[in-house]
Amino acid sequence: MSQAVLFDTPGPRARRNILVANVIGGVVAAGIVGLVLWKLGQEGQLAAGRWTSLFTGSAWMNFFLPGLQNTIVAALYSVVLAVVFGLVFGLGRLAPLAPVRWLAGMVVEFFRAVPVLIMMVALYIGLGAFGVVSPRDVPLVSVVVALTLYNGSIIAELVRSGVFGLPKGQREAAAAIGMTHGKSLRLVELPQALIAMLPSLVSQFVVILKDSALGYIITFNEFLQLSRQFGGGNGNMLQALIVCAVVFILINWLLTRAAALVARRLSRRTSGRTQPRLVNAGAAGAAGTPAT
Amino acid sequence: MNLFEQVSFLFSSYNIPAAFWVNIQLTFWAAIGALLVGTVLGLMRVSPVPSLQWLGTAYVTVFRNTPLTVLMLLAVLGVWSQLKITFAQDFATNFFIYACVVLAIYHAAFVCEAVRSGINTVPLGQAEAARAIGLPFLPAARLVLLPQAFRGAIAPLGNVLIALIKNTTVAAAASVAVETSSVMRGMIEANSNMVILIFMIFALGYVILVVPVGVVTTSLSRKLAVTR
């Protein structure tokens, strides 16, 4: 339902009321901003030195950019591995053999229900204690594996719901020309389901990027960690963290826009639904399609 | 030690239920806050006032795209230690309240989207009928739209609740020390030979917390769906 039907096209009185409400809303917003600025000023947070040091070459070359690089590397590894994991277990849930379906279903449901941070911390200390990977790589590996298991099971659900979301006629047509279950899945249903799930996959990338910041808790040198180190060293913690937040918001916002764009472009190439799901609440995601 | 002895050793030397209780309390307070703020935001986004629509959209864009961990750190290292805003004298209580506030602020953006998707399930005719009998925006929303919208939003709201339950572990970044991920960390550090067992205890704890929420909200959303 478009929002325009919630209220009549405003007449003169309603327009006046809206104007008044607009002014009040604006004043309240300005008041909040003013209050924040006043508080910041009172604590000396607006001093120029605390902000200018953020925009020096050394801040970006030594802290922000390397951090961002680590974040993106972890996110890319996780995305690729999660897609593989998702395909394997998503197809497992569609398998003709019941035990395979149950096993895949149990794995997916389990990793969807466990908080990413719990997996990350257990991996971090476990891998460290057993010396499976070199100590230097432990944080990265823990972040990537935890993100892969969680997001992979979300993607498995995407694969499954993508196939289920196709019109029944697709499978029936494949059966009518004599294709077996596997052939119909491989040649008719999956290609369309995968195209239909691309926008959701792009918005899942937002979740992976956001959750990679959890690596901060297990000492992974990602963007948040290095922003914090920079802020701690230069006495401008608040400002450095604000830069970190702004960069994350920008990247994720662009990705969300890209997902919507991809959805529009692809909607003609598949009979599945290409609407990206409501973007995920991150470190947690959820069960069901509109994953928080 | 056999498995049984290991489990009873872990449960007798650490208070695992207490750790989960902290996460449940975080979930409870944050859920109330997020539901209130999120509903107001959802209404703002469908209201006739452009400045309110804009504010609602800006809020959702900002908080949906910021990692929760960054928000937790901003709250504790920025707002608490730099701006010196305290909620309670006692450190533990203070950080607990901070974590609740941050969780509520973050999830309000997702509640807003869930409420909006609920409003989308209400057919056009309902809003038109409300207008036709002369109801202005707020009474139309309160009497006609929201009651139906919430029933349509149960499934997405359930997903937000599940996300919230799991996200309470991120309170570890806000120095809430007795919640599950921190307790588990201490346990594994002290008993690294039982790492898989300890992980499974906490993982199953979350499965037990999360799965019923999913089942209940799915069945509720079917039961309460407005028949059309």
Side-chain angles (χ1 to χ4, degrees):
Chain A
M1 175 170 67
S2 91
Q3 56 193 48
V5 296
L6 288 185
F7 40 84
D8 282 306
T9 314
R13 226 175 72 191
R15 272 207 297 276
R16 204 176 56 229
N17 287 345
I18 288 177
L19 187 73
V20 171
N22 251 336
V23 169
I24 295 175
V27 167
V28 169
I32 293 173
V33 171
L35 197 71
V36 170
L37 284 178
W38 175 77
K39 183 72 187 166
L40 285 172
Q42 210 189 21
E43 300 291 341
Q45 296 292 339
L46 292 179
R50 291 192 180 225
W51 294 89
T52 48
S53 62
L54 293 172
F55 301 102
T56 55
S58 84
W60 285 86
M61 294 314 289
N62 299 326
F63 290 93
F64 291 126
L65 288 181
L68 205 54
Q69 189 193 354
N70 285 340
T71 290
I72 290 173
V73 165
L76 284 178
Y77 275 131
S78 312
V79 142
V80 173
L81 293 174
V83 168
V84 175
F85 183 98
L87 275 178
V88 169
F89 284 91
L91 289 181
R93 293 197 82 168
L94 294 165
L97 222 67
V100 178
R101 279 205 305 272
W102 294 332
L103 189 73
M106 263 168 58
V107 169
V108 167
E109 293 299 334
F110 178 80
F111 286 117
R112 239 167 34 153
V114 180
V116 180
L117 185 60
I118 293 277
M119 294 193 236
M120 244 181 227
V121 170
L123 281 163
Y124 172 62
I125 309 173
L127 290 177
F130 288 118
V132 195
V133 283
S134 85
R136 218 175 45 113
D137 294 333
V138 168
L140 174 67
V141 173
S142 319
V143 169
V144 169
V145 173
L147 288 181
T148 299
L149 293 177
Y150 171 66
N151 293 286
S153 48
I154 299 287
I155 292 173
E157 283 302 282
L158 285 181
V159 172
R160 188 175 73 125
S161 66
V163 170
F164 278 147
L166 292 175
K168 225 168 52 184
Q170 299 288 326
R171 179 189 309 242
E172 288 169 354
I177 57 171
M179 286 187 176
T180 58
H181 172 82
K183 251 191 176 159
S184 140
L185 201 61
R186 191 158 45 87
L187 296 173
V188 178
E189 295 166 72
L190 256 191
Q192 299 194 68
L194 291 185
I195 288 177
M197 69 176 251
L198 264 183
S200 306
L201 201 63
V202 176
S203 45
Q204 197 63 29
F205 198 70
V206 172
V207 179
I208 293 183
L209 213 55
K210 286 202 300 182
D211 283 359
S212 71
L214 288 172
Y216 164 82
I217 297 173
I218 57 162
T219 72
F220 178 45
N221 275 329
E222 46 75 62
F223 191 44
L224 177 58
Q225 184 81 266
L226 285 175
S227 305
R228 198 199 98 109
Q229 281 175 18
F230 178 78
N234 288 270
N236 55 357
M237 184 65 80
L238 187 63
Q239 290 77 0
L241 290 178
I242 288 175
V243 168
C244 177
V246 168
V247 171
F248 266 118
I249 293 169
L250 271 181
I251 298 177
N252 290 334
W253 178 73
L254 286 175
L255 279 172
T256 312
R257 294 285 300 268
L261 199 77
V262 172
R264 268 206 306 279
R265 295 282 303 266
L266 290 179
S267 60
R268 262 176 293 148
R269 290 195 38 196
T270 166
S271 52
R273 292 191 54 225
T274 56
Q275 282 311 306
R277 301 159 309 138
L278 273 165
V279 175
N280 231 285
T289 4
T292 57
Chain B
M1 281 197 280
N2 63 30
L3 186 67
F4 180 72
E5 282 166 351
Q6 285 183 334
V7 171
S8 60
F9 162 75
L10 288 174
F11 270 89
S12 56
S13 13
Y14 298 91
N15 199 343
I16 298 171
F20 273 102
W21 181 237
V22 173
N23 289 72
I24 293 171
Q25 282 175 308
L26 282 167
T27 307
F28 179 77
W29 295 114
I32 292 177
L35 193 63
L36 290 178
V37 179
T39 309
V40 172
L41 283 171
L43 277 182
M44 278 164 72
R45 290 193 71 174
V46 295
S47 79
V49 184
S51 70
L52 293 184
Q53 290 171 15
W54 187 86
L55 266 178
T57 314
Y59 183 100
V60 172
T61 310
V62 165
F63 288 105
R64 204 173 57 175
N65 289 323
T66 322
L68 182 57
T69 328
V70 173
L71 289 178
M72 286 284 180
L73 274 197
L74 257 175
V76 168
L77 296 180
V79 180
W80 177 71
S81 84
Q82 300 288 315
L83 299 185
K84 320 248 177 350
I85 295 174
T86 39
F87 289 117
Q89 288 309 308
D90 170 37
F91 272 145
T93 322
N94 183 45
F95 289 137
F96 180 84
I97 297 176
Y98 257 109
C100 287
V101 170
V102 172
L103 285 167
I105 288 176
Y106 178 77
H107 290 89
F110 297 95
V111 170
C112 168
E113 294 304 272
V115 169
R116 275 211 321 157
S117 80
I119 291 178
N120 278 330
T121 64
V122 183
L124 234 119
Q126 297 288 322
E128 286 172 345
R131 277 166 50 192
I133 58 169
L135 288 176
F137 175 71
L138 273 181
R142 189 170 58 86
L143 297 169
V144 180
L145 282 175
L146 279 185
Q148 300 184 59
F150 271 118
R151 288 164 69 172
I154 289 175
L157 281 176
N159 286 337
V160 178
L161 180 60
I162 290 173
L164 173 59
I165 292 174
K166 297 195 287 170
N167 276 339
T168 53
T169 51
V170 187
S175 318
V176 177
V178 280
E179 55 80 49
T180 45
S181 75
S182 320
V183 170
M184 185 188 78
R185 187 180 192 140
M187 284 171 70
I188 301 182
E189 270 165 359
N191 312 281
S192 59
N193 55 330
M194 294 188 233
V195 57
I196 293 173
L197 178 64
I198 297 171
F199 169 71
M200 285 311 287
I201 289 175
F202 282 92
L204 286 178
Y206 273 97
V207 171
I208 291 168
L209 278 183
V210 161
V211 169
V213 174
V215 171
V216 168
T217 51
T218 311
S219 79
L220 266 185
S221 73
R222 286 213 189 101
K223 202 180 274 174
L224 294 181
V226 185
T227 345
R228 296 195 170 101

